[in-house]
Structures are given as structure tokens and as C-alpha cells.
Amino acid sequence: MATRVGETSAVSRAMMEEEVKKIVLNHFHAVYVDRDISSSMEHISQKIRWIGSKDFYIAHSKEEFRQMLERELGSLPGRCAIEVMAAEGVMLTEDCFTVSGEFDIRIPHPLQLVYQRMRFTAMLVLENGEYMVVSLQTSISSDDKIKYETKTMNGDSMKMLADDLRRQNQYDPVTGLYTLEAFKQVVEDVLKKEPDSRFVMLCTDVTHYEQVNNLYGLKRADKMLSDLSVLLTTFSQNVRVSCRSIADHFLVLMTYMDRELLEEELRKLCSEFRNTISEEYIEAAPRLGVGAYAITNLNEDIDSIVERTNMTRKALKLNHGIEVVFYDARIFKRIEKMNEIESSMQGALENGEFKVFIQPKYSLTDNQIVGAEALCRWIHDDGSMVYPDEFIPVFEEDGFIAELDFYMLEQVCRMLKRREEEGRKCVAVSINQSRVLLQDTQYVSKIAAILKRYEIPSEYIELELTERIFQDDLTGFARMMGELKKHGIRWSIDDFGTGYSSLNLLKELPVDILKIDKSFLDETETSEMSKIIIRKTVELAQELDKYVVCEGVETESQADYLRNIRCDMAQGYLYSQPLPMQDFEQLLDEEMAV
């Protein structure tokens, strides 16, 4: 039983620090030495969050933590020994401690002993009179720090253990398919045995796989992978061999006769996944994509084949809505560009290459600036530019877009704070928010913290969401948007009217402003239907006490039409192109001076 909270003299504090340190070390001893999962979980909170370096493990609950520990133990060949190198407990408050340190693990592999250094940091809090671990981070040292020691064994024991280790190295424990290295060996043999066949290698990608893990837990996510492995090995009689390479990515080698027939077969595969497996995970809405590389040279190095197939799978991320992509020279160039962008994006952020441009929104009543939209431009020091349609898809794929979104918000808040202190005119500025950022469980608190830091009136900040991101978890978005509305944040929906459930969004979401997509305005001169859609949208918005912005206004006739139907605001090149922040500020100042 843990020491209860009370007077914390130096002696009692030291005793409590020793006690929590013992709790954490006993956990590791139970896992690696005793191989007793039940005992290891005694002081683990139901709220535990574990981040481990091995295979990038992340657990969000006690049950997920238990499942991951069981999997990790299943990969170890036997009882281990541990030697604690350092451990220290520190009291933060009377009911909160941290424990950090490192220890060596001796792992008895068949042919040698392996020593790995593990570092750890744990946080414990008092729950019902006992200290429980609520956060745990572990990391294993890099391979160059791992020590090896040859074991002496008799012949039969060595052969038996070596065979067991070989089986572990050949098959994925979740799906039963080959591991990547075993797959490559089998592929080489197949290519040699069937020199007259036409081969293609496939690589799969499951969109929203992380959401499946987060929403349904590890066990359900593993079931999805297992079901997918069955589908991949049975969808065609031409499949020769398959493997799970990493996470939700599978490699499949198959033969084919005709490119068009193959593409049709792969589309049916994606459709089958969508109609069967995906139905079990409706909230996450996973979708299957396939990259295909036709092997024209059977003597090509197997690593090169796998690399090009993986490149094609990455290209799926640059072609939203496309389920099947085949490798060609254009794919290679696009991936090269993608890699170039990824390698330079962090440095570009640190060097201030991402510039805030602002496009004003004008009142259609008096032609005054009543709002604005912040847009990101990537401009190198030499003046050359990387265009948004090149870098935004890459940033959305690798998650960097979240960092960029917060950067844009900070820059806008800093500008507005400065103008407010100087007594200069301020208008509400909208900042685009990506799907990746919204998936952050700390999103609301981070936005609230930024508003508090700059102490600007919340009505000056407008967060803008694109309509297409609402296709999955409408309830979750509504909850999150409602929480930020409590902080005074206004919400706008961009590209309104382009989705299939626009009216449902108005019913479910606390939206303040609708931005009518430019495509409708472009067609008003030739399409009576587009005119009706815009007019009815404006009428509906006014009845619901919402504002309407029409973007892409380029002609006086378009502005006149919007004015006649009482649209609130217009944004477009007729009024102003996106301006560097300082030019936008000058425009605001000049308007005030008139």
C-alpha cells in the first residue's frame, strides 16, 4: 500500500520517492524477469498512456497496454535478466511523482545473449490511496550500443532454438504472412522459376488506419489487418506470395496478362475492402489504396523492386480519391519532389520561409474591408516559390500541416495584438485548419492557450474548415467546435455546397459563416441552376442567422448579382489578390484614413 498524503518532511519525502521508484522497477521486473503480466499491471492506472520506441508502440488505456506487453513478451525467446543502472524518483506535488532511469536487459537469443539499454520515464499519481502509473515512456538505445555475447549450447538444443527463432523471423505474428525479409527471398525464387510470366508487385495503404487504432483499440485494429491479409491472398488466383511489411502496408506479388484487366481487378479489391472489412469500422471510415509496379526486368534487384512499389504507394497520398496507382516516370519525379519538400520543410519553418499572405473580404453593402483570410506561401530566400498544391498534400500526409497551421495562427494573432495595442483597425481573420490538426486530442486546449497568450478579442479569430473533412466523424467535429465556441471562436465552412450533405452540416455543426465555392459563381452567367443555388443558400443562411461569403469574385457583374441577392461579403481578385501581411495592413490603414 502506498504512503498516504500527509505532512512531507524531508525524511517522509525521501521514503515516498523510494516507494514510487520501487513500484516502477517492480513493473519492469515482473514483465521481463518473471514474465508475469498480471503482477506488472498492479500499479498501472486505467488511464495509462504508454509510448514505447519498439515498433512505435502507443497505448491509450490499461487494456491496450496489457495487449502490447503480451505481444512484446511473445517476441522474446525466454526469461530475461535486468540490471538497473540508474533510477530516481522526484516529488512534484504530494500526490504526483516522476521516476526516471535506465537499465540493461539481457535477452537469451538462441545463438547469443543480447544486452539492450532501456531508458524510462514514468509519472505516478495518487488514486484511492495508492500511487498508480498514469504515463510511461520507454526507449531502447540505438543498435550501435547493443552488446552481444556468444552462448555455448549443445547441438540439439541449438538446432531446436535456431529453428524456433527462424520461424519467428519468417512470419508476422498478427497476420501469419511472411515478414518482409522472408518475402523478398521467396519473391526471388518465384521470379527465377517463372521467367515467362508477367509479374506485378502491389503495396497497400489503408487510409485512417491510425483512427481505427485510436477509436477501436489495438485488438480490433489487429483484426482488421488479419482480415485484410486473408483478402489479399484470396482476391485473385494469380497471387503468388504476400507479406505484411510494416503497420498497415502489405506487399503482394502476382502475375497478370493485361494491364486493364489487372486495374479492374485491383479496383474490385478496393471495393471489396470497402463493402466488407471497412463496414466494421464505420466511425474511422478506412479505405484501401493499392500502388502497383510492373516488373519488366526479372533480374532487377529485389530491393529496387520493393522500393519502387513503395514509392507508388506513397503516390496514393498525392492523388486524393484515387484507389489504384501504377508506377511510371511521373510517379518517380513526384515522389522525388515529395522527398525534397519533406527534407526541407522544417528548416524552411525555422528560417521564416513560410509567409502569411492575407486576402481581404469586402462588405457588399459599402465596399469596406470587414474580414480577411490568411493564406500560406512558401518563398525561398532567392525568391523562388513552392506552390500550395505541391506542399499542402505532402504536409497533410506526414502531419507537418498541424505545425504549419499553428504557426499561421500565431503569426495572425501577433499581428492583431500589435494593431490593437497601437489603436489601429482590426478585422476578423480566418485561418484554415487541417484534418490532421483536428485529430489532436489537445487541439482545443492548444487553441485556447494561444488566445490567452495574446489576449486579443476572440471575435477577431475565425477558424476555417473545408466541407470535405466532415465526411467521417460529424459528431466528434460538432463537439470540438462547440467547445471552442465557448471561447468565442467563430467557425466558417469553405467550399460550401460541394459536398453531398451540406444541409446536414448546418443542422449538426455550430457554424457562423458559409463560404460559397467559386465554381458556383463561375457558372452564374451560363447556368440558371447555379444562380438559384447561390440565392437559396444566402436566403437559408440569413434565416439561420449566419453570414455568407462568396469567394472568387472577379467581375462587376458577379458582384452586382451577389449584391442584389443580399449576400454579405465578397472575396476575390475584383477587390484584391492575396497580399503580403504588411501590404494588407497598409490597405487597412489607408481605408481608415479616408
Side-chain angles (χ1 to χ4, degrees):
M1 177 70 69
T3 304
R4 295 183 180 275
V5 176
E7 295 297 322
T8 52
S9 65
V11 174
S12 63
R13 175 173 177 164
M15 291 176 61
M16 293 162 71
E17 289 174 345
E18 282 299 313
E19 181 177 356
V20 294
K21 181 172 73 174
K22 183 178 179 181
I23 288 173
V24 176
L25 293 178
N26 283 346
H27 162 78
F28 289 116
H29 190 279
V31 173
Y32 293 106
V33 179
D34 297 337
R35 299 178 70 90
D36 183 351
I37 296 295
S38 295
S39 296
S40 74
M41 304 300 288
E42 287 182 358
H43 287 272
I44 301 298
S45 170
Q46 293 291 344
K47 309 170 189 174
I48 180 70
R49 178 174 174 84
W50 175 43
I51 302 177
S53 63
K54 185 175 181 181
D55 295 332
F56 302 101
Y57 281 173
I58 298 179
H60 303 86
S61 67
K62 185 173 183 178
E63 182 58 28
E64 281 191 359
F65 187 27
R66 173 190 289 274
Q67 293 170 10
M68 288 185 172
L69 286 181
E70 289 174 347
R71 282 176 54 186
E72 183 169 351
L73 280 183
S75 68
L76 297 176
R79 289 167 62 97
C80 303
I82 62 175
E83 179 180 357
V84 178
M85 311 304 294
E88 180 181 10
V90 177
M91 173 185 281
L92 301 179
T93 65
E94 288 187 340
D95 58 357
C96 182
F97 287 80
T98 63
V99 179
S100 59
E102 58 184 22
F103 56 87
D104 281 343
I105 308 175
R106 190 183 74 165
I107 305 171
H109 283 285
L111 304 180
Q112 57 190 356
L113 295 173
V114 178
Y115 295 83
Q116 290 183 329
R117 176 68 53 88
M118 177 175 283
R119 297 181 176 89
F120 64 89
T121 299
M123 178 175 287
L124 299 90
V125 299
L126 198 66
E127 293 182 359
N128 299 320
E130 292 189 314
Y131 286 104
M132 306 294 285
V133 179
V134 296
S135 173
L136 179 63
Q137 295 187 35
T138 58
S139 62
I140 296 175
S141 63
S142 57
D143 289 343
D144 60 350
K145 303 270 182 74
I146 297 174
K147 300 183 296 182
Y148 299 91
E149 175 185 330
T150 302
K151 292 177 64 177
T152 302
M153 305 176 67
N154 64 52
D156 291 340
S157 298
M158 183 176 292
K159 183 178 183 304
M160 182 175 64
L161 289 174
D163 287 344
D164 182 61
L165 183 60
R166 190 177 300 112
R167 284 192 295 272
Q168 291 183 35
N169 290 336
Q170 282 185 333
Y171 299 102
D172 172 53
V174 175
T175 65
L177 297 181
Y178 283 117
T179 60
L180 178 58
E181 290 305 313
F183 170 79
K184 291 193 289 188
Q185 294 177 6
V186 175
V187 168
E188 287 184 324
D189 292 338
V190 172
L191 296 181
K192 290 176 183 177
K193 291 177 180 177
E194 302 183 39
D196 298 326
S197 298
R198 299 179 68 184
F199 287 98
V200 62
M201 187 173 287
L202 315 175
C203 186
T204 67
D205 180 84
V206 178
T207 59
H208 304 165
Y209 173 68
E210 289 187 0
Q211 286 182 252
V212 172
N213 213 336
N214 292 335
L215 292 172
Y216 294 91
L218 177 66
K219 187 174 293 186
R220 290 285 301 280
D222 281 352
K223 180 182 183 301
M224 187 188 75
L225 295 178
S226 180
D227 291 343
L228 176 55
S229 71
V230 174
L231 179 60
L232 290 173
T233 55
T234 59
F235 82 96
S236 171
Q237 61 182 7
N238 296 322
V239 171
R240 291 292 185 270
V241 60
S242 54
C243 81
R244 179 187 175 209
S245 58
I246 187 172
D248 59 303
H249 305 316
F250 292 76
L251 291 170
V252 178
L253 180 72
M254 63 181 294
T255 59
Y256 72 104
M257 297 295 294
D258 178 81
R259 161 77 177 259
E260 290 186 4
L261 292 177
L262 171 63
E263 188 167 352
E264 182 181 348
E265 198 169 23
L266 297 181
R267 292 189 189 285
K268 287 181 179 178
L269 167 66
C270 296
S271 178
E272 180 71 12
F273 177 89
R274 188 168 56 251
N275 295 331
T276 56
I277 296 175
S278 182
E279 286 297 305
E280 296 187 34
Y281 312 89
I282 294 177
E283 290 185 40
R287 294 291 184 267
L288 181 67
V290 181
Y293 172 65
I295 305 172
T296 56
N297 177 10
L298 299 188
N299 294 318
E300 184 179 356
D301 180 71
I302 184 63
D303 288 323
S304 174
I305 294 174
V306 170
E307 180 182 0
R308 293 189 176 191
T309 308
N310 269 316
M311 288 176 65
T312 310
R313 185 262 307 167
K314 290 181 181 179
L316 289 165
K317 304 297 186 181
L318 304 178
N319 296 270
H320 293 290
I322 303 298
E323 293 180 325
V324 179
V325 174
F326 281 82
Y327 178 91
D328 58 26
R330 291 175 301 168
I331 293 289
F332 183 79
K333 288 182 179 179
R334 291 189 71 183
I335 297 301
E336 273 195 327
K337 182 66 175 179
M338 177 178 173
N339 291 337
E340 179 185 329
I341 287 172
E342 288 185 319
S343 65
S344 59
M345 61 190 185
Q346 191 64 51
L349 183 63
E350 294 169 358
N351 295 334
E353 293 182 16
F354 294 108
K355 309 294 185 182
V356 179
F357 276 54
I358 300 181
Q359 187 173 31
K361 301 173 186 174
Y362 283 80
S363 166
L364 283 161
T365 303
D366 56 15
N367 284 339
Q368 295 291 302
I369 299 174
V370 290
E373 178 181 5
L375 302 165
C376 183
R377 298 291 184 262
W378 186 352
I379 304 175
H380 295 306
D381 292 337
D382 61 5
S384 61
M385 179 180 290
V386 183
Y387 292 97
D389 60 350
E390 292 180 307
F391 67 81
I392 294 297
V394 177
F395 290 176
E396 288 179 339
E397 164 60 16
D398 61 25
F400 185 73
I401 191 68
E403 193 168 348
L404 184 61
D405 282 347
F406 277 124
Y407 170 81
M408 292 288 290
L409 178 59
E410 291 262 6
Q411 296 300 308
V412 169
C413 287
R414 189 174 291 123
M415 180 268 290
L416 290 170
K417 177 65 173 177
R418 173 170 45 78
R419 291 186 66 85
E420 187 191 34
E421 290 178 341
E422 295 170 357
R424 297 156 73 187
K425 179 180 179 179
C426 293
V427 295
V429 181
S430 63
I431 303 99
N432 289 286
Q433 304 291 281
S434 69
R435 169 185 289 277
V436 173
L437 190 149
L438 299 177
Q439 291 170 348
D440 184 352
T441 56
Q442 301 300 313
Y443 174 67
V444 172
S445 59
K446 288 178 180 178
I447 294 291
I450 292 174
L451 294 178
K452 183 178 181 180
R453 180 157 63 249
Y454 289 97
E455 296 181 327
I456 58 174
S458 55
E459 62 264 25
Y460 288 150
I461 296 299
E462 181 182 312
L463 300 181
E464 187 168 304
L465 305 173
T466 303
E467 183 176 348
R468 67 174 182 271
I469 76 170
F470 295 110
Q471 60 186 345
D472 300 328
D473 183 17
L474 199 58
T475 303
F477 281 124
R479 186 185 311 112
M480 175 271 297
M481 293 170 69
E483 289 178 15
L484 279 177
K485 284 277 285 185
K486 296 175 183 177
H487 292 277
I489 290 291
R490 298 199 302 172
W491 290 98
S492 66
I493 297 183
D494 196 11
D495 301 333
F496 184 77
T498 59
Y500 292 104
S501 57
S502 300
L503 294 180
N504 194 43
L505 298 185
L506 294 182
K507 179 172 69 75
E508 299 291 340
L509 302 178
V511 179
D512 302 283
I513 301 159
L514 306 180
K515 293 189 72 175
I516 297 177
D517 185 66
K518 179 180 182 294
S519 61
F520 291 112
L521 190 63
D522 289 341
E523 296 171 357
T524 53
E525 295 182 5
T526 59
S527 171
E528 188 64 28
M529 183 67 72
S530 292
K531 284 185 177 181
I532 294 172
I533 289 174
I534 293 179
R535 186 174 75 251
K536 292 301 182 182
T537 299
V538 171
E539 292 174 0
L540 177 63
Q542 289 174 342
E543 288 195 29
L544 295 174
D545 197 26
K546 303 181 189 302
Y547 294 96
V548 179
V549 181
C550 196
E551 55 187 350
V553 181
E554 297 177 350
T555 66
E556 287 289 354
S557 62
Q558 290 175 335
D560 288 340
Y561 171 71
L562 294 173
R563 195 174 292 111
N564 289 335
I565 64 172
R566 299 174 58 203
C567 181
D568 300 298
M569 293 172 275
Q571 177 183 349
Y573 278 41
L574 174 64
Y575 297 96
S576 173
Q577 64 184 359
L579 302 170
M581 183 182 286
Q582 61 271 25
D583 293 350
F584 169 75
E585 290 193 68
Q586 182 179 344
L587 187 64
L588 267 185
D589 293 338
E590 290 173 353
E591 187 175 89
M592 285 289 290
V594 175

